[in-house]
Amino acid sequence: MSRILKIIGILIGVVVVLIIGVIVAVAVLVDPNDYKDEITAQVNKATGRTLTLDGDLALDFFPRIGVAMGAASLSNAPGFGEAPFASIESAKISVEVLPLIFGSVRVGEVSLDGLHLNLARNARGVNNWQDLGGGATAAPAGAAPAEPGSAGASGAAPEIGVGSLRITDAEVNWSDAGTGSDWKLTGFNFEASDFGLGKSFPLSIAFNLAGAEIEVAVGSEMNATIALADNSYRLDDLEVTIDGRGAGWPGGEGQATLAFDSFAANLDAETVDLNNLRMEILGLAISGTLQGRKLFSDLSLAGAIDIAEFNPDELIERFGAAIETADPEVFRRASAHADFSYDSSQMGMRNMRFMLDDSELTGSIGMQGETLRFDLDVNTINIDRYLPPAAEPSETAAENEGSVDEIDFPLEPLRTFTANGSLALGETKFMNLTMTDAEFGLTAGNGRMRLTPSGKLYGGTIAGQIGIDVQGDAARLSLVQNLANVDLNGLARDFLATEDLSGKGNVNLDLAAVGSNVGALRRDLDGTVSFTLRDGAWEGIDAWYELRRARAILDRAPTPEREGEPRTTFSNVSASGMVTDAVLTTNDLNATLPFMALNGGGTINLLTDEIDIDATASFVDGPVLQSDPAMARMLD
């Protein structure tokens, strides 16, 4: 046994002596600088570019085999100036000798210092690196593709490790003559240490990027893992800081941070997972997660996003913008949450919770195929608060009033738009009108759209349907709307700013119009209209007293005394009519007061508001009329 060990020891010694001998011989007899001309000639032959090796080439042999080179540059493509396409100050790579004997590759150092790249694209869209391309050699016909993670014909991949990998003080200049944009990346530093396949190693990257209107400084730290056998890649504990300034950075300057616990991608399994993403930018604190599956075959994504409460008004100001609203206290608080998903058949958000000031929107929305589907709920919203402040009337506004007629109907989008969903509103205020328990259902498809609003309005109900049907080069708009048992006092108070009207009211509309723009639709309006007001009063006006006073003047009798507050009651006021080309014609305008009946008819032009109504009044015998003998004689 000892004899065998002795022989093995002698053989190993001989191998080591031979290796040392070869190294010494190469070091003495070979000067790599003798090959500069051949190297530059081969580069010129392959690329048409000129490689200039200003620095010396040096070889190290033990304990590492290494190659080092000094300054070098590669000329630019024709037509892109005299500046080199690429240049370096120095580069070095070394491999430890002894691990090679045992079948592993241990790179001691890979370093590249002072890399400068000048990338450009001319006005014709030609760039200065495409002539360096060249497709990879095709595999022989019939050759089977390599299995993922395989090392090819040589068997298992050797164990690879790198002591340190460094790129220092790199610079990249980009110029695009087509767009006139210029960007410069400077101070690029990349450092990784103790790199090995399948093991975690620290990695840091930093650089500065500057354009015409923005400069950013980026620094990042993380741990990385590369497993080529599994074709998987992982980043852990990433932290990125971005400091920006310039006109292109909202607010002129600021800082953004990005971090996550882990990002893992397995290309063989076609998966990606991002855990505990955290971002802070422009006063926003954003967090989320992401999972991806079947990345290259049938992509699906799922995840969640949260935006912590922030001040939207401050965010708008950062972009140098301002939104004037009727209520200056809006856009003060907002937050958001949603789970999202995507696959080849659908995409959307669910478990949504968007908050703005006092309003909260919850529900889901998404695209299923080409159909928009949604189920949304808003607890309360005062739309009037978010509208622009009321403007003073002006001649200019009056002159431009008719310009809305020129707005074309979006016929082409309506032909293909498909949707099915509903929006529920707990309490809504718009145009100073308050609606509760409202719901807006929407269905659309094949050029047809139906919106079905319903809800409670001042003690009554509102229901109906709004329809749009695309017909050739025009659209048919239909409106069927019914208001029932609406409290006139509340409606008049909020909409007409008066407390003078009371009672209950019903309104029925059945209107339609055909046209390609708003003006054509307004002019083509046809249909029926009816309304009924009952058991009410008009406060502030005492028609009975005014008639008695007029009669006293005619009779030269004493003026009667007013009894109680001035008001005129009515049991019924109603009318119905036909609308033709935006003109309403009615023949049954009726009003019933305790002492009088009004009957009449006429026309109302809905475009010009011109009214032409004729009515006749007749006294009605009853307790009120009989309470004044002088008025009672009017029946004779």
Side-chain angles (χ1 to χ4, degrees), residues 396-441:
T396 303
E399 292 173 358
N400 295 332
E401 193 173 25
S403 61
V404 69
D405 285 350
E406 304 304 319
I407 298 177
D408 291 329
F409 227 59
L411 298 178
E412 292 307 315
L414 288 173
R415 291 184 205 276
T416 57
F417 179 61
T418 59
N420 192 326
S422 67
L423 169 63
L425 300 165
E427 181 176 286
T428 307
K429 191 170 185 178
F430 178 56
M431 297 178 65
N432 215 39
L433 293 175
T434 300
M435 182 185 296
T436 59
D437 298 332
E439 183 171 351
F440 296 83

Side-chain angles (χ1 to χ4, degrees), residues 273-284:
D273 292 275
L274 174 64
N275 294 315
N276 197 18
L277 169 71
R278 305 174 302 281
M279 180 187 300
E280 293 188 9
I281 182 172
L282 302 177
L284 298 177

Side-chain angles (χ1 to χ4, degrees), residues 33 93 115 165 253 286 328 346 390 405 467 474 486 492 514 516 585 631:
N33 292 286
I93 182 171
L115 170 67
L165 175 60
E253 63 178 336
I286 304 170
Q346 58 85 32
D405 285 350
V486 174
V514 177
S516 60
T585 302
M631 294 299 297

Side-chain angles (χ1 to χ4, degrees), residues 27-41:
V28 172
L29 300 176
V30 177
D31 183 356
N33 292 286
D34 294 339
Y35 297 92
K36 280 187 176 182
D37 292 341
E38 183 176 347
I39 293 172
T40 56

